[in-house]
Amino acid sequence: MDITPEQMVAGLPASEQLDMRQILGLLAEEEVIDERRRSKEQGQVQKLLSQSQARSRARLLEMLSSSYASLTSPDAG
């Protein structure tokens, strides 16, 4: 059975409860900030990946178009 942070704080003397509540609050804020940062970084990675895929598709289409043009040109044979 896990002890929750609230249960842990409740077991402390009153003089220490406020300090612990402040520390737990700061830790919770840090978790939120870290989650936002991870989310933002993940969004940037997705954007870069999409751009890379778009460039790859464009190069592939260019190569296919060039190959098709060379196969269908009057000089091809």
Side-chain angles (χ1 to χ4, degrees):
M1 181 172 134
D2 291 336
I3 297 175
T4 67
E6 291 79 16
Q7 290 170 325
M8 197 169 49
V9 171
L12 294 173
S15 61
E16 295 178 19
Q17 284 188 13
L18 181 59
D19 290 340
M20 281 306 290
R21 289 185 201 285
Q22 288 174 333
I23 291 169
L24 291 172
L26 291 172
L27 289 173
E29 286 177 27
E30 281 296 316
E31 286 181 31
V32 169
I33 290 169
D34 287 347
E35 184 59 37
R36 287 181 185 155
R37 186 180 302 125
R38 278 192 297 273
S39 179
K40 182 178 178 183
E41 289 169 355
Q42 188 176 22
Q44 290 171 339
V45 167
Q46 282 299 118
K47 182 179 176 184
L48 291 172
L49 183 58
S50 294
Q51 290 172 348
S52 176
Q53 289 172 335
R55 285 193 298 271
S56 294
R57 282 193 297 273
R59 280 196 304 271
L60 180 59
L61 285 172
E62 200 175 290
M63 289 169 54
L64 288 171
S65 176
S66 175
S67 295
Y68 181 77
S70 68
L71 289 173
T72 58
S73 72
D75 300 337

